[in-house]
Amino acid sequence: MSGLNQWQINRISTIASVIEEVKTGKVRGIARAITLLELDGPDSQTVLDNLEPISRQASVIGITGYPGAGKSTLIDQLISVYRSQSKKIGILAVDTSSPFTGGAILGDRIRMQNHSLDDRVYIRSMATRGHRGGLAKATRGAIRVLEAAGFDVILIETIGVGQEEGEIAQLAQTVVLVVVPGLGDDVQAMKAGILEIAHIVVVNKADHQGTTATIQALQEWVPKVLSTVATTGEGLQSVVEAIATHQDVVRSKK
Ligand SMILES: Nc1nc2c(ncn2[C@@H]2O[C@H](COP(=O)(O)OP(=O)(O)OP(=O)(O)O)[C@@H](O)[C@H]2O)c(=O)[nH]1
Ligand SMILES: [Mg+2]
């Protein structure tokens, strides 16, 4: 290392220790690695290069849908199921605080805190607001970090409209779209966009009126339409099975 100055040597050894912590699944290392990727500075490529050889293959599931549809509540239920299967689960909540539900990220933390003391569950909010394409880049890196740390399932929560819908289709193997009853004409509007990339559509808040009509309207366009009440866990088992079935298809194609 004779060509390097002390600062460069320190930097390299810091990254090496972060990578070492990631490999052993240490939360602190995972958090630092993802922060380096978010900063998108010179260290971010070094982190990625060092993760490459230890990367594994996790199930990457996108949970997408309009603000307030119940994505976080559904994820909280999915965490419980995957935990009972002894899986390690990472959650990347990307830009979920909408102008409508401001402060949702804090809400998410509170809702998901059932799991916050569990070292087999890692929850991270990723702020990419204002960065065009930032979701894809930093999130792809964060997925690598979690894979390297031995996570089996990675759930990505996104609003999934506009620019983001193409990005989530590239990041996740299985895309679950969460909608609520009473979509009506919106189904027409969604056809060319998010419905095209969704593998599974979940009509959540099935305790509200209009669930059957919404399911019927969607069934014309999407192969798999299910309904849930995320707050009680009703219908959740079917969602878990549909995800597993789609994951089998994904893996058989590799
Ligand atoms: N009645 C009813 N309420 C629900 C159901 N699922 C979620 N909710 C409620 O709907 C509100 C929004 O749920 P969240 O899980 O935060 O929705 P989200 O899609 O994550 O919202 P953003 O992150 O802001 O996009 C909360 O008050 C939930 O308790 C359901 O099945 N039925
Ligand atoms: Mg949410």
Side-chain angles (χ1 to χ4, degrees):
M1 286 199 176
S2 57
L4 300 174
N5 64 32
Q6 192 58 43
W7 179 79
Q8 287 168 314
I9 292 168
N10 288 347
R11 218 185 92 206
I12 289 166
S13 77
T14 302
I15 293 176
S17 74
V18 167
I19 298 292
E20 204 46 51
E21 287 188 347
V22 168
K23 282 195 222 176
T24 53
K26 295 235 166 51
V27 168
R28 192 183 67 160
I30 294 167
R32 288 176 75 190
I34 295 177
T35 301
L36 288 173
L37 294 172
E38 278 182 326
L39 290 172
D40 200 18
D43 292 339
S44 105
Q45 194 55 47
T46 318
V47 169
L48 285 177
D49 291 345
N50 282 285
L51 286 174
E52 200 78 64
I54 50 170
S55 182
R56 286 160 242 185
Q57 273 291 327
S59 295
V60 184
I61 320 290
I63 309 287
T64 189
Y66 290 130
K71 301 178 293 295
S72 299
T73 315
L74 199 67
I75 287 172
D76 206 18
Q77 296 277 6
L78 289 172
I79 294 172
S80 298
V81 173
Y82 292 133
R83 278 299 286 116
S84 73
Q85 299 173 353
S86 299
K87 288 179 172 152
K88 273 185 87 167
I89 312 116
I91 295 93
L92 302 173
V94 185
D95 217 5
T96 52
S97 84
S98 62
F100 309 103
T101 56
I105 288 175
L106 182 62
D108 288 350
R109 291 226 174 104
I110 292 165
R111 248 194 305 291
M112 290 177 182
Q113 77 184 353
N114 289 338
H115 305 284
S116 64
L117 295 174
D118 184 339
D119 69 358
R120 296 175 71 83
V121 178
Y122 178 79
I123 301 173
R124 168 86 176 212
S125 297
M126 299 192 62
T128 58
R129 208 189 314 233
H131 295 219
R132 261 257 180 115
L135 167 77
K137 197 171 179 200
T139 312
R140 183 171 288 118
I143 291 169
R144 288 252 182 86
V145 170
L146 292 174
E147 283 185 326
F151 283 77
D152 305 296
V153 180
I154 300 168
L155 302 172
I156 305 172
E157 177 178 342
T158 62
I159 303 293
V161 287
Q163 285 293 320
E164 284 185 13
E165 76 198 16
E167 295 182 355
I168 195 67
Q170 291 191 347
L171 288 169
Q173 299 147 357
T174 303
V175 176
V176 179
L177 171 66
V178 184
V179 300
V180 295
L183 275 179
D185 292 344
D186 286 357
V187 174
Q188 294 296 322
M190 291 168 103
K191 256 179 1 202
I194 193 78
L195 275 184
E196 212 158 69
I197 58 143
H199 302 105
I200 301 162
V201 176
V202 174
V203 181
N204 185 44
K205 306 199 184 183
D207 50 328
H208 288 184
Q209 280 188 349
T211 304
T212 312
T214 301
I215 292 173
Q216 282 169 353
L218 288 164
Q219 267 166 344
E220 288 182 42
W221 308 103
V222 202
K224 198 81 193 167
V225 184
L226 302 167
S227 65
T228 54
V229 182
T231 38
T232 64
E234 194 184 315
L236 192 84
Q237 200 49 43
S238 307
V239 177
V240 171
E241 282 163 20
I243 292 172
T245 303
H246 186 261
Q247 280 290 304
D248 286 343
V249 173
V250 169
R251 287 177 192 278
S252 71
K253 284 183 184 159
K254 272 187 190 144

